[in-house]
Amino acid sequence: MDFRFVEAPLDRAEHLRTDGAALSRLWPEARVLVLDAHGDAAVDADGAPPALTGTALGERPDSAVFLGLHGEQGWFALPAGDAPEGLSVHGFVDLRSAAASWSVRDSTAFAQARAVLHWRARHRYCGVCGAALQWARAGWLGRCPQCGTEHYPRTDPAIIVAVTDGTRLLLGRQAAWPPRRYSTLAGFVEPGETLEQTVAREVFEESAVRVRRCRYLASQPWPFPSSLMLGFLAEAEPDVPRVNDELEDARWFDVDAVGAALRDANPDLLLSPALSISRWLIARWYALQTGAEAG
């Protein structure tokens, strides 16, 4: 897939999460990603992830989360606040910037680390009784010592959809975006709702366009901070788009306009960057319309 945080994932080695002895053996030579409170990762002087190992960081802290294995090497994520003082790094980089310059494996692991550490930082107490959680399963389980409730990492499912009336593509823009920026429509899944129902509801809520049918294409972890984007292609009625307070504008674009935008040659249309599944969905629609190769 020609979008980020999907390719070259770590082997999550879930069976090792309860094996303290195995984790201790992995730690000295482990690759460790250090993230600050904003979810940014430590970098070296070249802007690359530093070669931090468990040995360089000392004894494994309880807050170190086991991410998985690459070959025989363990990978962990560690909050910067729990790293040793004087740690030799040259600053921190955000995930979007890292995705543009780091290796695929490093940026995919960074996305995983950012999501799980964000969850842990914001779910330190039991939502049932308020007691402080105790961490287990190498950081992937918060257990309440008072009422026994177990808390697992939360992922918020959201649909993102390329909507077509057969010849045109529906795109919308938010007021805060850069001028000319348009994207595919998206929205969160509500309780008790199927993904297909979410597609129809969100498209109608945001644009007043009626979806007839849709099909799933691909998904992308989206740790900003904790979503999973589920990508669809939808067929819709050729309704005139009408927006409410969610979007500043929504409109139909023809094949020529989209093709020029994909080549960064449309002065009136700026598409989502390649980081996101949104651009991939647009390229897929264009390829279906023209028979061109899609990424």
Side-chain angles (χ1 to χ4, degrees):
M1 299 296 182
D2 190 20
F3 48 84
R4 304 300 185 267
F5 319 137
V6 175
E7 301 296 335
L10 297 174
D11 172 2
R12 298 201 176 202
E14 191 272 345
H15 63 286
L16 295 181
R17 293 177 182 175
T18 57
D19 191 339
L23 296 177
S24 294
R25 289 193 298 270
L26 288 170
W27 176 253
E29 301 301 321
R31 178 80 177 275
V32 184
L33 299 178
V34 176
L35 275 64
D36 67 12
H38 302 290
D40 297 342
V43 293
D44 62 18
D46 297 319
L52 295 174
T53 64
T55 296
L57 294 167
E59 185 177 352
R60 176 165 59 96
D62 291 339
S63 58
V65 178
F66 175 60
L67 299 177
L69 299 172
H70 172 45
E72 299 297 319
Q73 185 182 36
W75 286 49
F76 291 78
L78 181 68
D82 296 329
E85 292 186 11
L87 182 67
S88 180
V89 299
H90 290 259
F92 291 82
V93 66
D94 66 274
L95 181 54
R96 285 184 172 88
S97 299
S101 59
W102 288 15
S103 73
V104 172
R105 174 165 287 105
D106 286 347
S107 60
T108 297
F110 182 1
Q112 179 188 354
R114 189 182 195 279
V116 69
L117 290 184
H118 179 274
W119 167 72
R120 282 172 52 108
R122 286 154 181 79
H123 292 82
R124 295 180 296 160
Y125 299 95
C126 178
V128 178
C129 71
L133 297 180
Q134 296 176 347
W135 300 108
R137 296 186 62 80
W140 292 87
L141 168 64
R143 183 175 290 121
C144 179
Q146 185 164 290
C147 71
T149 300
E150 294 186 340
H151 300 265
Y152 291 88
R154 171 176 174 169
T155 297
D156 300 315
I159 61 90
I160 184 165
V161 55
V163 180
T164 181
D165 67 353
T167 61
R168 299 176 299 173
L169 183 67
L170 179 67
L171 301 174
R173 63 167 279 108
Q174 296 181 13
W177 289 354
R180 303 187 294 118
R181 169 66 55 80
Y182 282 78
S183 181
T184 49
L185 305 190
F188 287 103
V189 181
E190 292 187 346
E193 188 175 48
T194 68
L195 299 177
E196 294 81 2
Q197 289 167 348
T198 305
V199 169
R201 176 183 56 78
E202 283 288 346
V203 171
F204 189 77
E205 285 181 359
E206 294 187 0
S207 68
V209 170
R210 296 165 294 166
V211 167
R212 296 197 301 264
R213 62 184 66 88
C214 65
R215 61 186 175 95
Y216 169 80
L217 294 180
S219 63
Q220 180 189 31
W222 193 246
F224 299 105
S226 57
S227 298
L228 175 65
M229 305 301 292
L230 301 152
F232 284 81
L233 177 66
E235 299 174 23
E237 302 291 345
D239 298 322
V240 176
R242 300 192 308 273
V243 299
N244 54 26
D245 58 349
E246 292 190 52
L247 295 178
E248 178 186 67
D249 186 30
R251 63 179 70 172
W252 295 105
F253 292 88
D254 64 23
V255 172
D256 291 340
V258 172
L262 286 169
R263 299 188 298 272
D264 295 323
N266 188 333
D268 300 316
L269 177 59
L270 179 66
L271 298 177
S272 305
L275 171 73
S276 168
I277 191 175
S278 174
R279 177 104 174 199
W280 181 84
L281 288 169
I282 294 169
R284 288 282 295 182
W285 174 81
Y286 181 76
L288 289 171
Q289 295 297 115
T290 63
E293 290 282 336

